[in-house]
Amino acid sequence: MAEKPALWITRKLSDLTEARAARDYDVQLNPEDRVFTPDEIVAKSHEVDAILPCHSEHFNADVVARMSDRVKIIANHSVGVDHCDLQALKAKGVVVTNTPDVLSDATAEIALLLMLAAARRAGEGDRLVRAGNWDSWSPAFMVGTQMTGKRLGIVGMGRVGRAFAKLVQGFGMEIHYYNRRPLPPEQEAGAIYHAAIEDLLPHCQFVSLHCPATPETLNLMNAERFALLPEGAILVNTARGTLIDEAALIDALSSGRLAGAGLDVFQLEPGGNPQLAKLDNVCMLPHIGSATRETRDAMGFRALDNLDAFFAGEKPGDQLV
Ligand code: DGY
């Protein structure tokens, strides 16, 4: 029988994923779920034919240059690949895959949760009750913003953006969107296209970010663009922290330009931004958009499907380079 390919799974994945990987590969797992340093990643690359990493492992140009030629494929357990220098990996002849589709619904759910939480001041209310400081009630108490019937802007109408648009249908919102290209009418489902973010933002009483982190989207939401939003808008980000200039966001939240924000992702992860944590009108989560049992299994299986195809001599379904 042919030897199984040697695979390193960098983080603790779902039980079903690890069991399938152990069945089909000569696998190295990480039961302690510790984060490996760049030097350790380079050292591991000498021991395996394939790596199945998460967005917590960075394959930047330096790491890629030092990696062993033994590694033939990086099968990411993530849809985002901003932790990978794709050009450097391509130049080295390493195949890179990701896990699109399978996390769209879970991420859209977290976007909805954060949008409601920011609009209805859920984080603030929870902190108040939890701290034992809820000592009065009045019609003027903790009044928030209603989502129903408002205008929503979606920046990035890829799979997650479209899943989010579908999810909010019950709120009767008028949906506007920015995308590099307009969607075909059947995917657009009545949403209104804007060819520039500057044209979109003045319509957005609510805005949700769903585009990838690239050099072009770095600080996509900055002071100039916050100024284009209607007074009292609500911002949600479940995509990547680098899409927002956090200093400008803090100014917009402090001045009331934004009534609130819901954030699952930050410029600095893990940890987030302690200055944002001082503001009551921001609801924050620790990058858990795809963290459901169902989605973790689906992500793991999708990454393994890509590996299986590669080692069967086929092109993986989610090959990026
Ligand atoms: C993704 O898949 O990109 C999520 O952010 C989790 O890594």
Side-chain angles (χ1 to χ4, degrees):
M1 204 173 79
E3 259 183 32
K4 293 176 181 177
L7 166 67
W8 175 38
I9 297 185
T10 63
R11 304 299 303 272
K12 178 143 188 51
L13 301 186
S14 79
D15 290 348
L16 288 177
T17 305
E18 293 193 349
R20 177 174 151 186
R23 185 193 65 195
D24 299 339
Y25 292 88
D26 176 9
V27 71
Q28 292 193 38
L29 300 173
N30 177 6
E32 292 84 31
D33 203 18
R34 88 181 170 77
V35 181
F36 283 75
T37 64
D39 285 346
E40 289 174 316
I41 293 173
V42 170
K44 275 278 180 206
S45 72
H46 290 267
E47 300 170 20
V48 293
D49 309 304
I51 303 179
L52 197 163
C54 296
H55 75 265
S56 46
E57 285 69 57
H58 290 256
F59 294 86
N60 56 30
D62 172 58
V63 168
V64 174
R66 292 191 290 133
M67 263 170 52
S68 162
D69 289 338
R70 180 170 173 186
V71 174
K72 297 287 180 276
I73 174 167
I74 293 189
N76 285 294
H77 183 277
S78 66
V79 66
V81 288
D82 46 305
H83 58 289
C84 292
D85 186 325
L86 293 181
Q87 289 322 311
L89 285 159
K90 186 178 178 191
K92 204 180 173 75
V94 179
V95 166
V96 180
T97 61
N98 68 342
T99 56
D101 299 315
V102 290
L103 43 65
S104 305
D105 290 332
T107 309
E109 284 181 12
I110 283 288
L112 178 58
L113 183 155
L114 284 169
M115 192 163 279
L116 281 167
R120 302 302 301 272
R121 305 170 62 175
E124 199 182 337
D126 179 74
R127 284 190 292 280
L128 189 83
V129 180
R130 192 180 292 276
N133 291 336
W134 180 28
D135 52 12
S136 69
W137 187 91
S138 108
F141 174 61
M142 288 210 59
V143 175
T145 307
Q146 193 150 316
M147 268 178 69
T148 308
K150 295 282 169 57
R151 287 187 308 273
L152 164 66
I154 298 182
V155 179
M157 265 294 212
R159 297 174 184 89
V160 183
R162 293 201 300 276
F164 184 56
K166 202 166 151 203
L167 205 59
V168 297
Q169 263 167 14
F171 290 85
M173 301 180 96
E174 181 178 290
I175 301 182
H176 295 246
Y177 74 101
Y178 164 76
N179 205 40
R180 273 174 304 174
R181 280 175 295 279
L183 300 180
E186 66 278 10
Q187 284 188 0
E188 212 168 44
I192 301 159
Y193 178 64
H194 297 268
I197 297 186
E198 282 69 21
D199 295 336
L200 170 80
L201 294 176
H203 297 277
C204 303
Q205 292 163 301
F206 290 81
V207 59
S208 191
L209 307 182
H210 296 286
C211 44
T214 64
E216 294 75 42
T217 60
L218 178 67
N219 292 331
L220 174 116
M221 289 307 296
N222 54 27
E224 292 73 39
R225 287 187 173 149
F226 285 129
L228 294 174
L229 288 166
E231 191 89 13
I234 305 269
L235 171 75
V236 166
N237 187 12
T238 54
R240 282 293 186 266
T242 52
L243 301 183
I244 297 182
D245 174 342
E246 289 180 352
L249 173 63
I250 289 165
D251 285 348
L253 285 165
S254 309
S255 69
R257 157 69 40 194
L258 286 181
L263 307 173
D264 186 43
V265 288
F266 301 86
Q267 295 262 1
L268 182 67
E269 294 185 15
N273 183 329
Q275 299 309 316
L276 276 169
K278 290 183 184 159
L279 301 176
D280 245 342
N281 55 350
V282 56
C283 181
M284 297 182 286
L285 295 175
H287 199 146
I288 55 167
S290 56
T292 66
R293 280 185 291 280
E294 297 83 351
T295 294
R296 287 288 181 251
D297 282 343
M299 289 171 77
F301 274 44
R302 186 98 175 205
L304 289 172
D305 288 346
N306 285 321
L307 283 172
D308 292 353
F310 178 81
F311 285 108
E314 293 157 17
K315 184 174 182 213
D318 305 313
Q319 181 168 339
L320 298 168
V321 298

